[in-house]
Amino acid sequence: MTIKPITAFGSISQRVVHGLNLIYSDFASTLSKNTSEQSQRKLHELMGMLIDKLYERPELLNLTGHKDEAYQSYEVNNMKPELDKVYQSIFKALFEFYKFLYISTLHGEVSGKHLAISNATLKENKATYKPLYKTLLNELGIEVEKSKTDISITAESEFLQSLKLLAENVPVNINKWTPYVLANFACCSFANDFSYLLQRADKVNGLNGLLFDLQRESLDKGYTQSCVCSMTATSIDFNISFKNAIGGFLIGYNPRKYQPFYFGTINGIGEKAMLDDFDNLDKDLQEHFINICRTCNSCLGCTKGGKNKIFAINVTHDGKDYNLCPCFPRHSWDTIDRGLMDILFKYHDAQEKYGTDWKKK
C-alpha cells in the first residue's frame, strides 16, 4: 500500500490498518549467521503484504465493518464511549494476532521448513491461536496446523529464520504490562530504528523538509531527540520529541483522529510565571499567549472550590486588555509552519528561564 495522506476510509478498520501501514518500517537489514539480507528483505515484503491484505479485506482478521468515523482533535476517547469500543476491538485484534506470531516465533523451535510451539508455551506467555489466523497466513503462503499439544507453522526455511531473527531482535520493555515492544515486530524493523518516521511525517504532511530544519536547529541548541512507536491492545501510535531541559517539541500520530498528526510542545511548564511577567516578554511571545490562552469565563475550576485564588491574569497587548486563563492553553496544532516553529523555539527558551523553579522541585 502506498504511503500517502488519506482522509476518508471505507471503514474504521481501514483507518486503523492504514495507520499501521504508515508506521511500517523502511527496510534495513542486520547481520546474521542464519539468514541473508535477501531473506530479510523478502520477509519485510511479506509483512508489508500482510498489512495490504488486511486493508483490502479487514474480515480476514474479523475486524469490524463499522463505517468510517473518528474523533475531532479536541475530543477524548470517553466522549464517545461506543466509538471507543469499536477502536478498542480493532487494536485488540491486531495486537493479539501479532502477539501470537511473535511469541510463536520467539519461543518456537525451527527445523527446516517447520516451526513448532506448544500450546502450553503460548498459554504461559498469554498468547492465543485463533483459527482465522490460518486463513490470514495462508494468504501469504504460510501453512498453520493446530494439534492437541502444539501449533505448527510451515514456510520456507529462510523465511522462518528471518522471522526468528526479527523476534529475537525485538527489545525488551521495562514496563511489565508490555514486556516487549511489539511495534518493532509488526513493523518488521530488524534494526529497531524508527528514525524514518520524521521523514514520513514531513512528506505525508507536505512540509517540504521543515521537520528536518526543526531537527537540525533543535540538535544545534542541545535538545535531545527520541522516538517512541507503540502497538498495544489499546493503541497504535508514535511520537517524536526534541527535548530541552524542561520542555520541547512533540510530533505525534494518532489514527483515532480525523487529523491524525499533531505538532506542538511537550508541556506548559512555566506558563503561569510567563503570564505574571507578561510585559517583559518578547512581543512574539506575547502574541503567542494571546493566541493560545482562553479568556477567563469565570468557571472557577482553578479555585478548587474556593481554596485557591483565580488563576486568570490581566494583561494588555497592543492597547487591548485581556483576562487570560493559564489552565487550558493550546499546545498542539494540526500542522506547523516556519513562523510557528520559530515562536515555539522562543517559547522553549522562556520555559528554561521561567520554569526553573519547577525543575528544582
Side-chain angles (χ1 to χ4, degrees):
M1 190 189 338
T2 303
I3 297 171
K4 60 182 180 181
I6 300 177
T7 56
F9 300 86
S11 66
I12 294 177
S13 294
Q14 284 192 327
R15 179 178 288 276
V16 173
V17 173
H18 176 262
L20 182 56
N21 177 69
L22 189 141
I23 65 175
Y24 192 72
S25 71
D26 289 335
F27 175 70
S29 63
T30 189
L31 292 176
S32 170
K33 295 180 180 178
N34 299 320
T35 180
S36 65
E37 178 179 339
Q38 183 179 0
S39 297
Q40 293 174 46
R41 185 180 295 277
K42 180 64 175 178
L43 176 64
H44 187 270
E45 292 173 356
L46 286 173
M47 294 282 275
M49 285 175 56
L50 179 64
I51 297 173
D52 292 345
K53 295 285 186 182
L54 285 173
Y55 185 84
E56 295 164 5
R57 298 167 57 196
E59 65 272 14
L60 285 170
L61 201 53
N62 200 27
L63 302 182
T64 177
H66 194 289
K67 67 177 182 179
D68 186 33
E69 185 179 358
Y71 294 80
Q72 300 294 344
S73 58
Y74 60 86
E75 293 178 320
V76 296
N77 297 347
N78 62 12
M79 291 176 69
K80 295 182 176 180
E82 293 304 314
L83 181 59
D84 181 47
K85 290 178 182 178
V86 175
Y87 274 94
Q88 294 276 15
S89 71
I90 299 167
F91 291 133
K92 183 179 179 182
L94 289 168
F95 177 79
E96 289 180 343
F97 167 72
Y98 280 105
K99 181 178 179 179
F100 158 75
L101 194 58
Y102 166 71
I103 294 297
S104 297
T105 308
L106 182 66
H107 296 291
E109 293 188 7
V110 175
S111 177
K113 295 184 178 181
H114 303 283
L115 182 151
I117 183 167
S118 69
N119 295 329
T121 301
L122 284 174
K123 184 177 181 180
E124 181 183 342
N125 288 275
K126 299 181 180 179
T128 305
Y129 169 75
K130 297 180 181 179
L132 57 84
Y133 296 168
K134 176 182 175 72
T135 303
L136 176 57
L137 291 171
N138 277 347
E139 292 281 323
L140 303 180
I142 301 168
E143 298 292 333
V144 183
E145 296 295 336
K146 184 182 186 303
S147 71
K148 291 182 178 179
T149 58
D150 60 25
I151 304 290
S152 177
I153 298 175
T154 302
E156 293 181 5
S157 175
E158 288 197 339
F159 171 88
L160 294 177
Q161 291 292 348
S162 294
L163 197 61
K164 189 82 169 174
L165 174 66
L166 177 63
E168 291 174 345
N169 272 3
V170 170
V172 174
N173 192 334
I174 61 173
N175 183 337
K176 66 179 180 179
W177 303 114
T178 53
Y180 36 79
V181 186
L182 197 59
N184 296 60
F185 183 81
C187 293
C188 201
S189 177
F190 288 102
N192 292 321
D193 178 14
F194 286 99
S195 60
Y196 60 87
L197 288 174
L198 187 73
Q199 187 274 340
R200 193 79 50 86
D202 188 274
K203 182 177 181 180
V204 170
N205 288 280
L207 296 176
N208 300 314
L210 182 66
L211 295 187
F212 290 102
D213 291 343
L214 187 153
Q215 177 189 50
R216 182 178 60 256
E217 293 181 34
S218 294
L219 297 180
D220 285 347
K221 289 176 175 288
Y223 287 51
T224 58
Q225 179 178 350
S226 66
C227 179
V228 176
C229 191
S230 174
M231 182 182 192
T232 70
T234 59
S235 69
I236 296 174
D237 52 43
F238 75 82
N239 66 69
I240 304 166
S241 62
F242 296 93
K243 299 179 181 179
N244 63 12
I246 292 177
F249 290 96
L250 186 64
I251 302 162
Y253 176 83
N254 181 351
R256 287 173 174 260
K257 304 288 188 178
Y258 281 115
Q259 175 53 48
F261 283 92
Y262 54 91
F263 306 84
T265 58
I266 293 173
N267 58 53
I269 293 171
E271 286 181 337
K272 178 67 163 59
M274 292 183 218
L275 283 173
D276 284 335
D277 197 31
F278 186 85
D279 290 343
N280 292 317
L281 293 180
D282 176 279
K283 185 176 178 61
D284 288 337
L285 272 182
Q286 290 181 345
E287 185 72 31
H288 182 64
F289 274 102
I290 298 299
N291 291 330
I292 69 171
C293 291
R294 296 184 300 181
T295 299
C296 176
N297 62 4
S298 301
C299 73
L300 303 181
C302 61
T303 68
K304 294 184 178 180
K307 295 178 182 179
N308 298 328
K309 294 181 179 180
I310 293 177
F311 282 8
I313 299 169
N314 291 307
V315 303
T316 301
H317 180 69
D318 284 346
K320 186 176 180 180
D321 293 330
Y322 300 87
N323 190 24
L324 299 182
C325 171
C327 294
F328 307 104
R330 182 177 185 179
H331 291 146
S332 179
W333 291 263
D334 291 342
T335 188
I336 189 170
D337 57 23
R338 182 75 217 194
L340 177 58
M341 188 178 89
D342 288 344
I343 288 175
L344 291 181
F345 269 120
K346 289 185 178 182
Y347 170 82
H348 298 150
D349 288 344
Q351 280 190 302
E352 290 196 284
K353 174 183 177 181
Y354 289 93
T356 302
D357 290 341
W358 174 90
K359 186 181 176 184
K360 290 178 180 178
K361 292 180 181 180

